[in-house]
Amino acid sequence: MIDLRSDTVTRPTPAMRRAMAEAEVGDDVYDEDPTVQQLQERVADLFGFEAALFTPTGSMANVLAVAALVGPGEEVLCESRSHILRAELGAHGALLGITSRTWVEERGQLDLPTVKSMYAPDMGPFFVRTTAIAVENTHNFAGGTVLPLADLQELRGWADEVGVGVHVDGARIWNAHVATGTPLREYGAVADAMAVCLSKGLGAPIGSLVLGTTEAIEVARVRRKRMGGGMRQVGVLAAAGLHALDHHLDRLADDHEHARLLAEACGQDPALTETNIVVVEAPDAAAVVAAAREEGVLIGAVGPTRVRLLTHLDVNRDEVERAATVLSRLVG
Ligand SMILES: *Cc1c(COP(=O)(O)O)cnc(C)c1O
């Protein structure tokens, strides 16, 4: 089977498993795991943040990041198909007691004029107050689209003016970085809080980080424990992340090239595929998913008339070409 359902399906490579087996560990609840500390310091530094905290999932990293910016009864604004609202099972409302409003942008982009018009300042006992704007880079359900740095910088400038926080869900910020050449620090500079995943295109079996100020990360550490996310000799997992940063970052360019090849096979303008996600319109998505499976290609449906494919380090060029042949017949 050629599995294009997600870039989360990768299995740790033999070299990654060796790095995990050899990791130096300690009890991370006591903040004594040197490998976790190394990963946290390295990722914080990569993005120019003061501190970072290792979490089991990106969803937990997002909840901790949003919690750092938005209090109970306050609101976060985000795009309508944001992962934080659509795919985290209501965690932000259920666990944090926050509300949200959305803008709609077909390619998942920031629509700053609309954001400005939606923004609600503190009106005391009359209205819900906006305390953060959350953006997603790359945007998953919009098809791995990149948010241009200039737009993010404009958001940053306005957010500073009005005193609102900016959260970046950077589960796939690595893909945006490789696709555009934008330094990670430039992306970090526009955010007050950020979440990044090691378990997507980077190919670690598990692991994400939340980034913020030293003070915010100290609070996040308490909240993580409260949510049941205090972990012990977790350096074995952090080691996978460090290995991924060393060996799997630059190769994301291959995934992007593979995704364009698949987009073209599906009859799309390959220029619309900016990173490793291809979203294709199909009259009957479930039928296409079933037919592709029959021919050894796993893809996913995202809604009744859309299928989604992702490239990753466990599908090589040869497999991508075989999948392209199948998909061009089914949806091309
Ligand atoms: C995958 C993903 C996350 C985090 O997902 P987990 O499965 O909880 O690790 C967050 N945001 C986006 C955009 C994602 O694609």
Side-chain angles (χ1 to χ4, degrees):
M1 282 289 182
I2 300 170
D3 197 344
L4 302 173
R5 288 170 304 169
S6 177
D7 50 6
T8 57
V9 300
T10 56
R11 295 187 173 91
T13 62
M16 182 181 277
R17 285 174 188 263
R18 273 197 301 281
M20 295 169 75
E22 287 162 13
E24 227 185 293
V25 298
D27 190 328
D28 185 54
V29 172
Y30 288 89
D31 208 3
E32 287 173 2
D33 189 303
T35 310
V36 171
Q37 286 172 354
Q38 196 190 331
L39 176 68
Q40 290 174 166
E41 281 162 25
R42 177 161 168 192
V43 174
D45 184 61
L46 279 176
F47 290 92
F49 275 86
E50 282 176 6
L53 185 73
F54 190 54
T55 60
T57 64
S59 296
M60 192 188 280
N62 272 332
V63 167
L64 294 172
V66 170
L69 303 178
V70 187
E74 298 173 350
E75 75 176 358
V76 59
L77 305 181
C78 53
E79 203 283 321
S80 63
R81 285 164 302 157
S82 298
H83 196 279
I84 65 167
L85 290 196
R86 302 299 300 141
E88 296 177 10
L89 288 306
H92 300 261
L95 304 178
L96 305 180
I98 67 169
T99 67
S100 53
R101 280 183 297 149
T102 59
W103 72 89
V104 180
E105 212 292 328
E106 188 49 33
R107 289 187 61 76
Q109 298 294 305
L110 174 68
D111 175 357
L112 193 54
T114 302
V115 170
K116 286 181 181 174
S117 73
M118 291 169 74
Y119 166 71
D122 189 359
M123 302 271 282
F126 295 103
F127 286 104
V128 173
R129 175 185 174 193
T130 307
T131 44
I133 316 298
V135 294
E136 192 173 306
N137 197 14
T138 66
H139 195 299
N140 183 341
F141 298 123
T145 47
V146 174
L147 272 54
L149 181 66
D151 289 3
L152 296 170
Q153 287 171 334
E154 209 182 332
L155 170 66
R156 175 75 272 162
W158 171 76
D160 286 340
E161 262 170 49
V162 299
V164 75
V166 174
H167 168 54
V168 173
D169 177 355
R172 294 189 182 78
I173 194 82
W174 319 103
N175 296 85
H177 159 67
V178 168
T180 62
T182 303
L184 295 173
R185 273 183 177 244
E186 303 258 335
Y187 282 136
V190 302
D192 296 293
M194 193 162 169
V196 301
C197 289
L198 304 166
S199 56
K200 303 282 168 83
L202 290 183
I206 177 172
S208 291
L209 295 106
V210 52
L211 291 79
T213 61
T214 305
E215 203 185 338
I217 294 303
E218 269 168 28
V219 176
R221 175 177 281 277
V222 173
R223 290 195 174 114
R224 182 186 67 174
K225 183 70 158 53
R226 185 174 292 133
M227 291 164 74
M231 300 175 287
R232 302 295 178 175
Q233 286 71 24
V234 76
V236 288
L237 302 181
L242 287 166
H243 180 87
L245 290 172
D246 286 337
H247 301 284
H248 297 167
L249 183 54
D250 295 340
R251 63 151 305 286
L252 291 174
D254 298 341
D255 294 345
H256 300 167
E257 192 190 323
H258 292 163
R260 282 193 295 272
L261 201 147
L262 289 168
E264 204 163 8
C266 293
Q268 284 196 346
D269 175 0
L272 291 177
T273 297
E274 297 176 62
T275 57
N276 70 325
I277 305 178
V278 186
V279 176
V280 185
E281 296 290 335
D284 184 349
V288 171
V289 170
R293 175 184 276 272
E294 283 294 304
E295 302 203 46
V297 180
L298 297 178
I299 59 174
V302 282
T305 61
R306 270 181 187 184
V307 295
R308 192 184 70 148
L309 7 151
L310 284 87
T311 53
H312 52 78
L313 84 168
D314 278 9
V315 281
N316 61 30
R317 179 71 178 211
D318 182 51
E319 291 165 320
V320 166
E321 282 172 3
R322 275 192 284 144
T325 307
V326 170
L327 293 168
S328 86
R329 212 168 337 104
L330 295 179
V331 288

